[in-house]
mmCIF file with all atom_site columns, all heavy atoms in Angstrom:
data_model
loop_
_atom_site.group_PDB
_atom_site.id
_atom_site.type_symbol
_atom_site.label_atom_id
_atom_site.label_alt_id
_atom_site.label_comp_id
_atom_site.label_asym_id
_atom_site.label_entity_id
_atom_site.label_seq_id
_atom_site.pdbx_PDB_ins_code
_atom_site.Cartn_x
_atom_site.Cartn_y
_atom_site.Cartn_z
_atom_site.occupancy
_atom_site.B_iso_or_equiv
_atom_site.pdbx_formal_charge
_atom_site.auth_seq_id
_atom_site.auth_comp_id
_atom_site.auth_asym_id
_atom_site.auth_atom_id
_atom_site.pdbx_PDB_model_num
ATOM   1  N N   . SER A 1 206 ? -15.706 -14.940 -74.635 1.00 0.00 ? 206 SER A N   1
ATOM   2  C CA  . SER A 1 206 ? -16.099 -15.267 -75.997 1.00 0.00 ? 206 SER A CA  1
ATOM   3  C C   . SER A 1 206 ? -15.664 -14.150 -76.940 1.00 0.00 ? 206 SER A C   1
ATOM   4  O O   . SER A 1 206 ? -15.438 -13.017 -76.506 1.00 0.00 ? 206 SER A O   1
ATOM   5  C CB  . SER A 1 206 ? -17.623 -15.425 -76.010 1.00 0.00 ? 206 SER A CB  1
ATOM   6  O OG  . SER A 1 206 ? -18.053 -16.112 -77.137 1.00 0.00 ? 206 SER A OG  1
ATOM   7  N N   . GLY A 1 243 ? -14.199 -19.762 -77.026 1.00 0.00 ? 243 GLY A N   1
ATOM   8  C CA  . GLY A 1 243 ? -13.948 -18.323 -76.986 1.00 0.00 ? 243 GLY A CA  1
ATOM   9  C C   . GLY A 1 243 ? -13.160 -17.731 -78.128 1.00 0.00 ? 243 GLY A C   1
ATOM   10 O O   . GLY A 1 243 ? -13.048 -16.510 -78.224 1.00 0.00 ? 243 GLY A O   1
ATOM   11 N N   . GLU A 1 278 ? -13.738 -26.209 -76.444 1.00 0.00 ? 278 GLU A N   1
ATOM   12 C CA  . GLU A 1 278 ? -15.187 -26.001 -76.524 1.00 0.00 ? 278 GLU A CA  1
ATOM   13 C C   . GLU A 1 278 ? -15.552 -24.845 -77.448 1.00 0.00 ? 278 GLU A C   1
ATOM   14 O O   . GLU A 1 278 ? -16.225 -23.891 -77.033 1.00 0.00 ? 278 GLU A O   1
ATOM   15 C CB  . GLU A 1 278 ? -15.736 -25.698 -75.118 1.00 0.00 ? 278 GLU A CB  1
ATOM   16 C CG  . GLU A 1 278 ? -15.402 -26.742 -74.068 1.00 0.00 ? 278 GLU A CG  1
ATOM   17 C CD  . GLU A 1 278 ? -15.823 -26.302 -72.657 1.00 0.00 ? 278 GLU A CD  1
ATOM   18 O OE1 . GLU A 1 278 ? -16.146 -25.117 -72.455 1.00 0.00 ? 278 GLU A OE1 1
ATOM   19 O OE2 . GLU A 1 278 ? -15.836 -27.162 -71.776 1.00 0.00 ? 278 GLU A OE2 1
ATOM   20 N N   . GLY A 1 280 ? -17.543 -22.634 -80.050 1.00 0.00 ? 280 GLY A N   1
ATOM   21 C CA  . GLY A 1 280 ? -18.929 -22.539 -80.503 1.00 0.00 ? 280 GLY A CA  1
ATOM   22 C C   . GLY A 1 280 ? -18.972 -21.627 -81.716 1.00 0.00 ? 280 GLY A C   1
ATOM   23 O O   . GLY A 1 280 ? -19.035 -22.072 -82.874 1.00 0.00 ? 280 GLY A O   1
ATOM   24 N N   . ARG A 1 281 ? -18.850 -20.329 -81.444 1.00 0.00 ? 281 ARG A N   1
ATOM   25 C CA  . ARG A 1 281 ? -18.912 -19.314 -82.487 1.00 0.00 ? 281 ARG A CA  1
ATOM   26 C C   . ARG A 1 281 ? -17.977 -19.627 -83.653 1.00 0.00 ? 281 ARG A C   1
ATOM   27 O O   . ARG A 1 281 ? -18.335 -19.456 -84.814 1.00 0.00 ? 281 ARG A O   1
ATOM   28 C CB  . ARG A 1 281 ? -18.506 -17.977 -81.868 1.00 0.00 ? 281 ARG A CB  1
ATOM   29 C CG  . ARG A 1 281 ? -18.690 -16.788 -82.788 1.00 0.00 ? 281 ARG A CG  1
ATOM   30 C CD  . ARG A 1 281 ? -18.045 -15.535 -82.197 1.00 0.00 ? 281 ARG A CD  1
ATOM   31 N NE  . ARG A 1 281 ? -18.252 -15.386 -80.784 1.00 0.00 ? 281 ARG A NE  1
ATOM   32 C CZ  . ARG A 1 281 ? -19.216 -14.640 -80.227 1.00 0.00 ? 281 ARG A CZ  1
ATOM   33 N NH1 . ARG A 1 281 ? -20.049 -13.986 -80.988 1.00 0.00 ? 281 ARG A NH1 1
ATOM   34 N NH2 . ARG A 1 281 ? -19.331 -14.551 -78.916 1.00 0.00 ? 281 ARG A NH2 1
ATOM   35 N N   . ARG A 1 317 ? -28.272 -10.351 -81.208 1.00 0.00 ? 317 ARG A N   1
ATOM   36 C CA  . ARG A 1 317 ? -26.923 -9.845  -80.908 1.00 0.00 ? 317 ARG A CA  1
ATOM   37 C C   . ARG A 1 317 ? -26.767 -8.327  -81.106 1.00 0.00 ? 317 ARG A C   1
ATOM   38 O O   . ARG A 1 317 ? -26.200 -7.666  -80.249 1.00 0.00 ? 317 ARG A O   1
ATOM   39 C CB  . ARG A 1 317 ? -25.858 -10.597 -81.720 1.00 0.00 ? 317 ARG A CB  1
ATOM   40 C CG  . ARG A 1 317 ? -25.862 -12.124 -81.482 1.00 0.00 ? 317 ARG A CG  1
ATOM   41 C CD  . ARG A 1 317 ? -24.616 -12.797 -82.030 1.00 0.00 ? 317 ARG A CD  1
ATOM   42 N NE  . ARG A 1 317 ? -23.456 -12.474 -81.241 1.00 0.00 ? 317 ARG A NE  1
ATOM   43 C CZ  . ARG A 1 317 ? -22.537 -11.585 -81.551 1.00 0.00 ? 317 ARG A CZ  1
ATOM   44 N NH1 . ARG A 1 317 ? -22.608 -10.956 -82.708 1.00 0.00 ? 317 ARG A NH1 1
ATOM   45 N NH2 . ARG A 1 317 ? -21.544 -11.339 -80.749 1.00 0.00 ? 317 ARG A NH2 1
ATOM   46 N N   . TYR A 1 321 ? -25.900 -6.630  -77.612 1.00 0.00 ? 321 TYR A N   1
ATOM   47 C CA  . TYR A 1 321 ? -24.493 -6.278  -77.380 1.00 0.00 ? 321 TYR A CA  1
ATOM   48 C C   . TYR A 1 321 ? -24.017 -5.121  -78.250 1.00 0.00 ? 321 TYR A C   1
ATOM   49 O O   . TYR A 1 321 ? -22.830 -4.802  -78.229 1.00 0.00 ? 321 TYR A O   1
ATOM   50 C CB  . TYR A 1 321 ? -23.573 -7.469  -77.683 1.00 0.00 ? 321 TYR A CB  1
ATOM   51 C CG  . TYR A 1 321 ? -24.018 -8.805  -77.158 1.00 0.00 ? 321 TYR A CG  1
ATOM   52 C CD1 . TYR A 1 321 ? -24.407 -9.820  -78.023 1.00 0.00 ? 321 TYR A CD1 1
ATOM   53 C CD2 . TYR A 1 321 ? -24.031 -9.059  -75.788 1.00 0.00 ? 321 TYR A CD2 1
ATOM   54 C CE1 . TYR A 1 321 ? -24.800 -11.063 -77.546 1.00 0.00 ? 321 TYR A CE1 1
ATOM   55 C CE2 . TYR A 1 321 ? -24.429 -10.293 -75.306 1.00 0.00 ? 321 TYR A CE2 1
ATOM   56 C CZ  . TYR A 1 321 ? -24.809 -11.288 -76.187 1.00 0.00 ? 321 TYR A CZ  1
ATOM   57 O OH  . TYR A 1 321 ? -25.203 -12.508 -75.716 1.00 0.00 ? 321 TYR A OH  1
ATOM   58 N N   . TYR A 1 376 ? -25.125 -18.131 -82.127 1.00 0.00 ? 376 TYR A N   1
ATOM   59 C CA  . TYR A 1 376 ? -25.905 -17.238 -81.277 1.00 0.00 ? 376 TYR A CA  1
ATOM   60 C C   . TYR A 1 376 ? -26.914 -16.432 -82.093 1.00 0.00 ? 376 TYR A C   1
ATOM   61 O O   . TYR A 1 376 ? -27.210 -15.279 -81.787 1.00 0.00 ? 376 TYR A O   1
ATOM   62 C CB  . TYR A 1 376 ? -24.972 -16.319 -80.466 1.00 0.00 ? 376 TYR A CB  1
ATOM   63 C CG  . TYR A 1 376 ? -23.927 -17.100 -79.694 1.00 0.00 ? 376 TYR A CG  1
ATOM   64 C CD1 . TYR A 1 376 ? -22.579 -17.093 -80.072 1.00 0.00 ? 376 TYR A CD1 1
ATOM   65 C CD2 . TYR A 1 376 ? -24.312 -17.889 -78.614 1.00 0.00 ? 376 TYR A CD2 1
ATOM   66 C CE1 . TYR A 1 376 ? -21.637 -17.846 -79.384 1.00 0.00 ? 376 TYR A CE1 1
ATOM   67 C CE2 . TYR A 1 376 ? -23.366 -18.640 -77.921 1.00 0.00 ? 376 TYR A CE2 1
ATOM   68 C CZ  . TYR A 1 376 ? -22.041 -18.610 -78.310 1.00 0.00 ? 376 TYR A CZ  1
ATOM   69 O OH  . TYR A 1 376 ? -21.108 -19.350 -77.634 1.00 0.00 ? 376 TYR A OH  1
HETATM 70 N N1  . LIG B 2 .   ? -17.670 -23.079 -73.087 1.00 0.00 ? 1   LIG B N1  1
HETATM 71 C C1  . LIG B 2 .   ? -18.355 -22.417 -72.135 1.00 0.00 ? 1   LIG B C1  1
HETATM 72 C C2  . LIG B 2 .   ? -18.309 -22.903 -70.759 1.00 0.00 ? 1   LIG B C2  1
HETATM 73 C C3  . LIG B 2 .   ? -19.093 -21.276 -72.479 1.00 0.00 ? 1   LIG B C3  1
HETATM 74 O O1  . LIG B 2 .   ? -19.749 -20.625 -71.540 1.00 0.00 ? 1   LIG B O1  1
HETATM 75 C C4  . LIG B 2 .   ? -19.127 -20.830 -73.825 1.00 0.00 ? 1   LIG B C4  1
HETATM 76 C C5  . LIG B 2 .   ? -19.885 -19.658 -74.209 1.00 0.00 ? 1   LIG B C5  1
HETATM 77 C C6  . LIG B 2 .   ? -18.403 -21.573 -74.792 1.00 0.00 ? 1   LIG B C6  1
HETATM 78 C C7  . LIG B 2 .   ? -17.688 -22.684 -74.381 1.00 0.00 ? 1   LIG B C7  1
HETATM 79 C C8  . LIG B 2 .   ? -18.390 -21.216 -76.243 1.00 0.00 ? 1   LIG B C8  1
HETATM 80 O O2  . LIG B 2 .   ? -17.841 -19.969 -76.486 1.00 0.00 ? 1   LIG B O2  1
HETATM 81 P P1  . LIG B 2 .   ? -17.530 -19.508 -77.989 1.00 0.00 ? 1   LIG B P1  1
HETATM 82 O O3  . LIG B 2 .   ? -16.453 -20.434 -78.532 1.00 0.00 ? 1   LIG B O3  1
HETATM 83 O O4  . LIG B 2 .   ? -18.775 -19.612 -78.766 1.00 0.00 ? 1   LIG B O4  1
HETATM 84 O O5  . LIG B 2 .   ? -17.050 -18.120 -77.847 1.00 0.00 ? 1   LIG B O5  1
HETATM 85 N N2  . LIG B 2 .   ? -24.341 -14.910 -76.745 1.00 0.00 ? 1   LIG B N2  1
HETATM 86 C C9  . LIG B 2 .   ? -23.010 -14.334 -76.818 1.00 0.00 ? 1   LIG B C9  1
HETATM 87 C C10 . LIG B 2 .   ? -21.943 -15.356 -76.531 1.00 0.00 ? 1   LIG B C10 1
HETATM 88 C C11 . LIG B 2 .   ? -22.097 -16.006 -75.166 1.00 0.00 ? 1   LIG B C11 1
HETATM 89 C C12 . LIG B 2 .   ? -21.069 -17.044 -74.909 1.00 0.00 ? 1   LIG B C12 1
HETATM 90 C C13 . LIG B 2 .   ? -21.363 -17.800 -73.662 1.00 0.00 ? 1   LIG B C13 1
HETATM 91 N N3  . LIG B 2 .   ? -20.502 -18.901 -73.392 1.00 0.00 ? 1   LIG B N3  1
HETATM 92 C C14 . LIG B 2 .   ? -22.824 -13.702 -78.190 1.00 0.00 ? 1   LIG B C14 1
HETATM 93 O O6  . LIG B 2 .   ? -23.740 -13.794 -79.015 1.00 0.00 ? 1   LIG B O6  1
HETATM 94 O O7  . LIG B 2 .   ? -21.804 -13.087 -78.455 1.00 0.00 ? 1   LIG B O7  1
#
Side-chain angles (χ1 to χ4, degrees):
S206 198
E278 305 173 347
R281 187 190 319 264
R317 302 193 71 259
Y321 316 112
Y376 307 108

